[in-house]
Amino acid sequence: MKKSVLFLGLIYLIFISLGLPDSVLGVAWPTINGEFNVAASAAGIIAMIVSIGTILSSFQTNRLIQKIGVGNLIVCSIFLTVLGLCGFSVSQNFVFLVVSAIPLGLGAGAIDTAVNDYVALNYKAHHMNWLHGFWGIGATTGPIIMGFFLRNQNWRGGYIVLASLQFFLVVIVFLTRKQWKQPPQVAQSGKAQDSMMSLIKQPGVVFSLICFIFYVGVEACMGLWGSSFLVQVKDIPISTAAFMTSTYYASLTIGRLAAGFFTFFLSSRKLLYLSELLLLIGVVVMNFGSGNFAAIGFVFMGLGSAAIFPTMLHETPGRFGTKNSARIMSLQLALAYTGTTCLPPLLGFLADQFGLIIFPYLLFLFGSMVLLSTVMLEKVVTDTRA
């Protein structure tokens, strides 16, 4: 019992480490940008390289698990993030930052897909929600670590500390790599697998992919444009807008930790519907709320967003079967990262044409697509089981 609890604790620790680098670049970029004398928008190039690497590795995760096993894959993936973070810490020019972003993205995508599938197959829904809550802890801690070093303009020191923490985790996972259970599809790897297109044609998969694309669109757009909307449309001071935007992520993290307890008495279907409705209510409040009242909308949106992503992931084996769960989860996460990469720039382009006043309307459209796709997915899955 003690051994299983410690192993579960290791899984949570992996997700904290996954979140550590995710929000650091934006914090360090003003200093890095000034030192390397590149355009402020160049940070988007690095973020896109990380996203592309994440998408590519997500698609290959199942194949790699079959070849080297879950534990070995996680060891190698975390080590890739160590290489990427070390590369950032020693970079002397922008090109080296771009090169270092490649292993960072490749490592993150494989970790995300492998661990999410592992938890979906071996643990109950509350653990999936708590797992993603712990990602939020990492995403909150990363900027704190970097902020400490930025007091002396030493952004490289922040990346060195993050790389050291990741390397410490590599050692722990390496020592426990044989304890990771192989998923059912690995044991059957000698059999012919369904093609990717046949997986997409499986009942309900398309609706699931739509859910992931538009949900992460909401989350990514909130992070990139939420503060600008408050400043430009609501006439809220920059410092206040930054705090109000942070309430979204604080609510998201707290909500995921709380959602784990809700799974004890709410079905996944009810939890998804309630969460998606709360998200849409939050968008409405943010749009029509005046002044600081709009912050309540940010809180509602964070709480509404909290359970959607982890619950959809956890439901994958139950909806589509354990045989192909890892491959379908790879598809879901790859499409999620695609949404993260594409939808915020799309919103920015439309905002250039019509103004940021369209921000909440697009968010409402994205949220409505998530709710509608969830309803259709649940109908298809129910009809298939009948």
Side-chain angles (χ1 to χ4, degrees):
M1 177 66 179
K2 183 178 179 180
K3 189 175 181 180
S4 62
V5 171
L6 290 174
F7 185 74
L8 182 59
L10 173 61
I11 294 175
Y12 284 127
L13 191 60
I14 290 172
F15 248 66
I16 291 177
S17 78
L18 186 63
L20 281 173
D22 282 0
S23 50
V24 167
L25 179 63
V27 174
W29 185 248
T31 306
I32 298 173
N33 175 45
E35 181 177 329
F36 290 164
N37 195 27
V38 294
S41 59
I45 297 175
I46 298 175
M48 186 171 292
I49 295 296
V50 172
S51 295
I52 292 172
T54 303
I55 293 168
L56 292 175
S57 61
S58 295
F59 276 125
Q60 298 300 319
T61 298
N62 185 61
R63 184 178 302 173
L64 292 171
I65 288 175
Q66 292 181 10
K67 288 186 176 181
I68 65 175
V70 181
N72 289 327
L73 175 61
I74 294 174
V75 171
C76 295
S77 300
I78 300 175
F79 186 70
L80 281 175
T81 67
V82 173
L83 291 178
L85 293 170
C86 286
F88 272 70
S89 71
V90 299
S91 294
Q92 298 299 318
N93 55 63
F94 177 74
V95 173
F96 204 86
L97 286 178
V98 172
V99 173
S100 300
I102 296 173
L104 191 61
L106 292 174
I111 297 168
D112 204 1
T113 305
V115 178
N116 273 304
D117 184 58
Y118 190 88
V119 173
L121 288 171
N122 295 286
Y123 294 95
K124 294 186 180 298
H126 57 273
H127 285 297
M128 184 66 87
N129 280 282
W130 291 338
L131 186 73
H132 286 264
F134 273 69
W135 173 89
I137 293 174
T140 304
T141 305
I144 294 174
I145 294 173
M146 181 59 74
F148 176 81
F149 285 91
L150 287 175
R151 293 177 182 176
N152 298 315
Q153 305 295 305
N154 183 21
W155 59 271
R156 291 183 176 84
Y159 276 110
I160 289 173
V161 169
L162 293 178
S164 300
L165 292 173
Q166 299 285 71
F167 183 75
F168 176 71
L169 187 60
V170 168
V171 175
I172 296 177
V173 179
F174 177 79
L175 295 175
T176 61
R177 66 192 185 283
K178 294 182 179 179
Q179 296 182 30
W180 293 80
K181 298 177 184 177
Q182 296 300 87
Q185 61 268 31
V186 173
Q188 302 169 3
S189 58
K191 299 181 180 179
Q193 288 189 326
D194 295 335
S195 67
M196 191 64 71
M197 187 55 64
S198 65
L199 288 179
I200 295 175
K201 290 180 179 179
Q202 188 171 329
V205 169
V206 170
F207 293 121
S208 175
L209 297 180
I210 293 172
C211 285
F212 276 90
I213 291 173
F214 286 102
Y215 166 72
V216 298
V218 172
E219 192 173 316
C221 289
M222 281 294 293
L224 189 59
W225 300 111
S227 184
S228 298
F229 168 76
L230 293 174
V231 173
Q232 295 182 27
V233 179
K234 297 292 185 178
D235 294 322
I236 291 173
I238 294 175
S239 58
T240 305
F243 170 76
M244 290 171 62
T245 303
S246 71
T247 62
Y248 171 76
Y249 288 103
S251 302
L252 183 70
T253 301
I254 294 170
R256 281 177 175 168
L257 296 175
F261 294 100
F262 289 132
T263 60
F264 289 114
F265 53 86
L266 278 180
S267 67
S268 294
R269 176 186 290 190
K270 290 180 180 178
L271 183 59
L272 280 174
Y273 287 162
L274 288 173
S275 297
E276 290 160 4
L277 287 172
L278 183 58
L279 171 61
L280 291 174
I281 291 171
V283 175
V284 172
V285 173
M286 177 190 70
N287 186 32
F288 295 104
S290 58
N292 294 337
F293 187 73
I296 298 176
F298 276 62
V299 172
F300 283 176
M301 289 184 67
L303 293 175
S305 299
I308 297 174
F309 193 80
T311 302
M312 289 193 300
L313 285 174
H314 188 269
E315 287 296 289
T316 301
R319 285 169 169 168
F320 308 116
T322 59
K323 176 187 174 184
N324 291 315
S325 68
R327 301 181 71 207
I328 292 176
M329 194 168 291
S330 295
L331 271 174
Q332 291 170 334
L333 290 171
L335 268 292
Y337 292 124
T338 302
T340 300
T341 304
C342 298
L343 292 182
L346 173 62
L347 193 152
F349 172 77
L350 293 175
D352 285 340
Q353 309 301 313
F354 306 104
L356 269 174
I357 194 170
I358 68 167
F359 175 69
Y361 297 98
L362 286 177
L363 288 187
F364 192 86
L365 174 63
F366 294 170
S368 298
M369 290 297 294
V370 175
L371 178 59
L372 179 61
S373 297
T374 301
V375 171
M376 296 301 296
L377 173 58
E378 292 293 343
K379 183 178 185 304
V380 169
V381 171
T382 300
D383 291 345
T384 303
R385 290 172 178 170

